[in-house]
Amino acid sequence: MPSFDNIPDTVSFPDEERNILNLWDQLDAFKTSLKMSEGKPEYTFYDGPPFATGLPHYGHILAGTIKDIVTRYAHQTGHHVIRRFGWDCHGLPIEFEIDNKLGISGRDDVLKMGIDKYNAECRSIVMRYSKEWESIVKRLGRWIDFENDYKTLDPSFMESVWWVFKQLFEKDLVYRGYKVMPYSTGCTTPLSNFEANLNYKDVSDPAIIVSFPLLSDPETSLLAWTTTPWTLPSNFALCVNPELDYVKIRDKEKNKMWIVAETRICSLYKETQKDAYEILQKLKGKDMVGWEYTPLFEYFAGMRASHGAFRVLADGFVTDDSGTGVVHCAPAFGEDDFRVCQVANIVRKGESVVCPVDDAGKFTEAVPQYTGRHVKECDDDIKRELKNKGRLIHSGTIVHSYPYCWRSETPLIYKAVPSWFVKVENLKERLLANNLQSYWVPNFVQEKRFHNWLQDARDWCISRNRYWGTPLPLWVSDDYAEMVCVGSIEELERLTGQKFDDIHRDKIDHVTIPSQRGPQFGVLKRVDEVFDCWFESGSMPYGQIHYPFENQDLFQKGFPADFIAEGLDQTRGWFYTLLVISTALFDKPPFKNLIVNGLVLAADGKKMSKRLKNYPDPIDVVNEFGADAVRLYLINSPVVRAEPLKFQKAGVRDVVKDVFLPWFNAYRFLVQNVTRLELETGARFTPDVNASKKSGNVMDKWIQAVANSLIAFVREEMSKYRLYTVVPRLISFLEQLTNWYVRLNRLRLKGSVSPQDCELALATLYDVLLTVVKTMAPFTPFLTEFMYQNLKKVLPDAHPDKLDCVHYLEFPQAREDAIDPRIEEAVSRMQRVIDLARNVRERCHVSFKIPCKEVIIVNKDQGFLRDVQDLQAYVQSELNVRKVTLVEKESDFVTLRAQPDNKALGKRLGKEFAGVAKAIKELSHEQIANFEASGEITILNHKLGAGDVQVLREFKGGRANMEAAWDGSVLVVLDVSEDEELKNEGFAREVINRVQKLRKKAKLNIDDDVEVFYQVSGPVLKSVVNQFQGLIASAVRVPLLDVSQKPAQAVVLISESDEVANAKLTVTIAVTGVAFNDKSLEAKFGSHGAKFVDGVKTTLCCYDINRLRAHVSANQKSVRFELDGQNVELVHGVDFFFGAGEKDKLSA
């Protein structure tokens, strides 16, 4: 019985993957692998938590694949790798869905409904797609623990978040303050600065210039420019740059006096309108400080007397690159506005900021004319009112990049809100230092993008005026003079005398803590806010294992994490929050190694959109091509270098066609030929790891050298997390294995040389295939498992590589004694020669089936020529050439031409370059050859070296039927002339091709016992078949027999006609059956009549041919039976034969 299971001609990778998933389920493979690795060094991995309110997209699949590869590799290299999935359960994504579902537009709606009911609605959708996530992640081959997942809504996780916050609070890194923040009116909450940077869009906004008449000179107005007319009702000051030059001008047509920056007159007049105005006065910005003006609206007119509003301030943030050089300041809606007004005491500490806009972005009753309307809706009406007042000087539009809420897709506004902040600016130096302690791939993201973000880091707003989240554990007095920060559930229970199994808002908002100052001071109440969900995800290293309340030893051994990976968009998200919190807590980076992937875009380069349906469903692609194909397509792309990828379904198909199918065919070829060898020898195939050492075949040694060099390379590069170098090298190796080793050694592997050589070749191929399966296992877990389950069957039971699952095996170690750079170089040189000659054939349209007379290889390097000579048999066979000629003297075939390096020499020689360049181009062949030998040449008194002059080689030509190709170091010249003999051999190879195609079409295995018959219509083709009978028989492994020799009772499997050499060729494949010597049978049994003779034939044909062979062998070539009362004895080789081919051979 064959050692290997039979492998069909075709394979459905998705179907086989589903079979592998069933196998893994039966083995409980992931858990088993974890159990097997217990006690080994821990490798800590953090998985960033996604929301389960939507389904995974290609970005998730990409990041998940990278994580799976690295953690599988870590396991295979001797580590215990806990992999827990996590879920982000709080925050805007969930609340936004509930707000839309219930029609909630603001705080009052939630309070009217009740926070308990609102949170219950949120909780109900948190894990909506969790089962789908688990199914998809599993289908993609990722091994990660869903049973012991962590959720940010778990009390244990939330308690760790409280602990983190208390550490920051006690280190005086937390404060409450008014700050102008990016604010989402769609989600009614402030956002952090990095959230505001997540979703910029190009939009068209108003761009207007308005006038502010001076109290001291009402005929003169300062002009300010703004793109947010809705902020003008809240204007409290104007700001100029103290050092800029300003001018007072008179508009001649309107007879109005205006003040703008001198360089910004262009905002009012075109270059051709200089006669439309006159400059009356020049002054510096600092000269105008303190000037008072008439406000646009009377809503807050009292602010002049009470706070000194409506005057000119000066600050360096004002520039003259746009607008008028005068900035209108609405301190409630601009960060710089707030700052300069605070310095001017218009905004005062301890007082609320005047802000006539509510949480939903609508004007309050403080602006009665627009009360209840969203601010962005009022722009046109405000412009109209200003025009009616004569204060609108210019109205236009501007297209600019503007931030939108990443969740609600509504435009952000900037709004002063009371919030809780972490003092990131105090940590800036430590953040920069700790960033340098981690290793990022690619490093430019760390050194540029992330470094720059840290360099400009601002205090982090960690609070949200929302409901579904981890509540801030702060209990405060009404005047905020007394604050208690709670760091655990036990502490809260001790302070309140109550028990808690849940600490969401609806469970603890009502809880008070007695004032430590005495009963007369009342009680402390919890602040309204909850944590930003980014604070929770940044706390996941602690929350996922309930640190420090549990698992202290586990945390201390595994922190910082060995590895994390996410997309480029997390540079200002998760990567940042992890670093801020770990730096604040421990002054350490939170991870040692990080892979940053780029964004996966739709095929048109746009963002993938469910609404636009501009990308194929991931599961549809997996079901069509397989998960391994999707994985390999993604990780063999620019996206692993943090560059964008335009997803192409055709790219996944190409992975199957160009990588998996050749790999599968090499594996199938091994199985077929091992089965054939076992049937021929009767001995079980036992692979010998030292086969390549015993073999004298250079290709056996070469493929082992390449395989072990690959292992060494993968180990080195994976230690540096450079998937972008590893994956191309793996794919390149598969091409070397399938397209070079197997193809160049097909005859050896089929046993055409000798049984001993065949066994060595098969053992080499087996060892290399098993090695590549183990090496590729982290990258393509399904296909490697599929192959391994069959490959392991020939291994002894005690062999370390014979386990239940390929993913239990250790990653292979490179065998240093097998690595041979010289052999690799020699074969590489041969490959270059073959590739160049192939190019010539293709360019000249010379079929590979027609032999060429000669190939000439020209190279002045004797070592190069020796390498090709040693491998000359492969060159001849692969190129189908009769003769290989090696030429060291280049001048017979090559013309040398020199060309200057224009950039290098032009810069160095200046005006003299032109003359030198001309002289370089005029150098003779001998001069250039001498330059190459010496490495230098003097031209027009300038000594030039190798970097200054480029030497080009060109085929001289002028030789009949000779065509050439050149790759920069070797010239290959091919004789493409044809004669009758060469053409006829080409026709013979066409015949071979037709037979092989027919065998494949009939789905025949290599060991199927068949005979091949032919019929031709023309004398030329008949002559070709007769002349090259040996070549054809050697290739198709059976003689090609004339159709007239086909037994009448033959069972035909397939028959087809085709055209070869302008003649009709019919090929018929039949099952090998009994053939008869009609003359002998007639002589023996003719007296009994024709019917009796036919009965003899029919009786013998009823025998199974293999049993008949065994019977004949045991009974000295005779078969005896009784027919119609007559004894019949038939002699093998006289009366009958095993097939027409044997009859033809023995009869001859």
Side-chain angles (χ1 to χ4, degrees), residues 969-997:
S969 66
V970 61
L971 180 75
V972 174
V973 183
L974 193 65
D975 184 343
V976 294
S977 62
E978 288 185 6
D979 59 27
E980 284 303 311
E981 185 181 356
L982 295 177
K983 285 173 67 175
N984 286 342
E985 184 175 334
F987 293 148
R989 293 182 185 278
E990 289 284 359
V991 172
I992 293 169
N993 177 258
R994 299 304 190 275
V995 175
Q996 301 292 42
K997 282 184 176 179

Side-chain angles (χ1 to χ4, degrees), residues 24-74:
W24 289 345
D25 285 343
Q26 293 166 19
L27 297 173
D28 201 5
F30 176 43
K31 286 185 181 177
T32 302
S33 71
L34 288 174
K35 191 171 182 64
M36 290 171 67
S37 62
E38 284 179 358
K40 293 182 178 180
E42 291 291 336
Y43 182 91
T44 310
F45 159 68
Y46 293 158
D47 195 27
F51 290 100
T53 50
L55 293 172
H57 52 65
Y58 287 103
H60 295 119
I61 292 170
L62 168 64
T65 298
I66 292 171
K67 297 169 189 177
D68 190 53
I69 289 169
V70 172
T71 52
R72 281 182 183 274
Y73 177 80

Side-chain angles (χ1 to χ4, degrees), residues 876-1091:
Q876 279 186 266
S877 172
E878 191 61 21
L879 294 178
N880 193 14
V881 295
R882 296 286 175 82
K883 181 182 178 183
V884 175
T885 302
L886 306 176
V887 176
E888 183 183 350
K889 189 178 178 183
E890 288 187 328
S891 58
D892 290 347
F893 292 89
V894 172
T895 299
L896 298 183
R897 183 166 62 85
Q899 188 169 294
D901 185 315
N902 294 338
K903 187 174 181 181
L905 287 178
K907 186 176 181 180
R908 194 166 89 220
L909 302 181
K911 294 180 179 179
E912 297 181 54
F913 169 69
V916 172
K918 182 174 182 294
I920 290 173
K921 293 176 182 178
E922 293 172 352
L923 290 173
S924 68
H925 182 101
E926 289 71 26
Q927 287 175 310
I928 298 171
N930 292 335
F931 164 69
E932 280 198 311
S934 65
E936 63 180 34
I937 189 172
T938 301
I939 296 178
L940 302 181
N941 297 321
H942 292 284
K943 183 178 284 188
L944 307 180
D948 302 320
V949 180
Q950 182 182 7
V951 177
L952 305 176
R953 284 168 167 76
E954 296 175 347
F955 179 48
K956 278 186 175 180
R959 295 169 181 256
N961 301 313
M962 290 289 191
E963 294 291 338
W966 162 260
D967 72 350
S969 66
V970 61
L971 180 75
V972 174
V973 183
L974 193 65
D975 184 343
V976 294
S977 62
E978 288 185 6
D979 59 27
E980 284 303 311
E981 185 181 356
L982 295 177
K983 285 173 67 175
N984 286 342
E985 184 175 334
F987 293 148
R989 293 182 185 278
E990 289 284 359
V991 172
I992 293 169
N993 177 258
R994 299 304 190 275
V995 175
Q996 301 292 42
K997 282 184 176 179
L998 206 58
R999 286 182 64 101
K1000 187 173 183 180
K1001 190 172 183 179
K1003 299 184 177 179
L1004 293 173
N1005 293 321
I1006 194 170
D1007 56 335
D1008 286 335
D1009 196 359
V1010 295
E1011 293 189 303
V1012 182
F1013 303 93
Y1014 77 96
Q1015 184 176 11
V1016 296
S1017 63
V1020 173
L1021 190 55
K1022 178 73 173 176
S1023 172
V1024 165
V1025 172
N1026 290 333
Q1027 181 184 354
F1028 295 98
Q1029 179 68 249
L1031 174 68
I1032 297 170
S1034 173
V1036 302
R1037 299 183 65 83
V1038 293
L1040 193 62
L1041 304 170
D1042 191 283
V1043 72
S1044 63
Q1045 297 174 274
K1046 181 171 69 71
Q1049 67 276 12
V1051 178
V1052 174
L1053 297 174
I1054 192 169
S1055 181
E1056 275 190 6
S1057 298
D1058 207 343
E1059 187 175 294
V1060 175
N1062 296 319
K1064 181 180 178 183
L1065 169 70
T1066 301
V1067 177
T1068 302
I1069 300 178
V1071 176
T1072 300
V1074 177
F1076 294 97
N1077 182 342
D1078 290 333
K1079 290 182 180 180
S1080 174
L1081 293 182
E1082 181 64 29
K1084 279 187 174 183
F1085 308 113
S1087 61
H1088 297 290
K1091 188 175 180 181

Side-chain angles (χ1 to χ4, degrees), residues 86 88 107 110 112 132 215 228 597 720 761 775 867 898 929 1004:
D88 211 338
R107 175 183 175 86
V110 176
K112 184 177 179 182
E132 287 84 351
L215 287 185
T228 53
N597 62 263
K720 295 180 171 61
T775 305
D867 286 342
L1004 293 173

Side-chain angles (χ1 to χ4, degrees), residues 83-147:
R83 285 155 270 182
R84 294 178 63 205
F85 204 82
W87 301 102
D88 211 338
C89 303
H90 289 146
L92 289 182
I94 292 96
E95 291 194 350
F96 183 67
E97 282 204 39
I98 297 303
D99 288 353
N100 285 337
K101 173 186 173 183
L102 303 179
I104 290 172
S105 60
R107 175 183 175 86
D108 291 343
D109 292 340
V110 176
L111 296 180
K112 184 177 179 182
M113 174 185 183
I115 293 177
D116 57 339
K117 292 183 176 64
Y118 183 85
N119 278 0
E121 289 281 350
C122 291
R123 188 186 291 272
S124 71
I125 70 165
V126 160
M127 302 302 288
R128 180 172 57 202
Y129 291 118
S130 60
K131 290 302 179 186
E132 287 84 351
W133 266 85
E134 184 173 354
S135 174
I136 293 170
V137 169
K138 179 180 177 181
R139 179 64 190 86
L140 285 154
R142 186 179 176 195
W143 280 6
I144 192 162
D145 190 351
F146 280 94
E147 290 182 17

Side-chain angles (χ1 to χ4, degrees), residues 6 35 52 132 134 181 212 216 236 282 314 331 343 383 401 427 473 493 515 614 633 704 800 806 886 923 960 1051 1122:
N6 183 46
K35 191 171 182 64
E132 287 84 351
E134 184 173 354
M181 298 289 298
F212 294 85
S216 59
F236 289 156
K282 292 189 177 183
V343 170
K383 288 194 297 180
S401 186
L427 299 170
E493 291 175 342
S515 172
N614 61 349
Y633 169 70
Q704 286 286 14
V806 71
L886 306 176
L923 290 173
V1051 178
E1122 186 178 303

